[in-house]
Amino acid sequence: MLSTLAVFAVGFVMRPLGALFFGWFSDRIGRQRGMVLSMGITAFGSLIIAVSPTYASAGAVASALLLLARLMQGFGIGGEIGASHTRTSPRPRRPHDAACGRRACTWRSRPACSARPSRPRCSRGG
């Protein structure tokens, strides 16, 4: 029972490594290519789980394939989460809003922004 949970947990251990790799990869190559690659790795890991033999027919090889597939799934999901959140996050309405974060900078909600309602700016370089 404990070994079954360990195989399940291995996927969660690989998520931060996937996030680190795909963050670097997406910054260099492009977010869309990084997301497509991470989705492909995750899908390939799922395919390995689907077509892997049972323990009765392949023995320890089946367990190794399952472990490898869970490693691939966790690695891919780690990269996919960051890319999908970046892709679906709201974009600023005006160019100077981006300095205050993802959402529009309002002078009431953000103390770092100026109190001019005509053009809210962030004091952090906006």
Side-chain angles (χ1 to χ4, degrees):
M1 178 70 175
L2 190 60
S3 62
T4 304
L5 293 176
V7 169
F8 181 71
V10 163
F12 290 101
V13 171
M14 288 299 288
R15 283 185 181 192
L17 298 176
L20 285 172
F21 173 76
F22 282 107
W24 171 83
F25 183 83
S26 297
D27 286 344
R28 304 289 184 289
I29 306 299
R31 300 241 177 255
Q32 183 176 359
R33 288 183 181 168
M35 188 163 176
V36 167
L37 180 62
S38 68
M39 289 171 67
I41 289 174
T42 304
F44 190 66
S46 299
L47 179 68
I48 290 174
I49 291 174
V51 299
S52 64
T54 62
Y55 185 80
S57 63
V61 174
S63 299
L65 280 174
L66 182 62
L67 183 65
L68 176 70
R70 285 294 298 153
L71 288 170
M72 291 176 67
Q73 280 183 331
F75 190 77
I77 287 291
E80 187 177 339
I81 288 174
S84 64
H85 283 244
T86 302
R87 179 81 177 145
T88 59
S89 66
R91 295 203 172 108
R93 289 178 277 172
R94 297 176 301 247
H96 59 271
D97 288 343
C100 291
R102 286 190 271 161
R103 302 205 186 265
C105 177
T106 61
W107 65 94
R108 290 182 185 166
S109 63
R110 296 250 180 172
C113 296
S114 68
R116 294 189 323 181
S118 60
R119 183 176 175 192
R121 296 171 98 175
C122 204
S123 63
R124 292 184 282 150

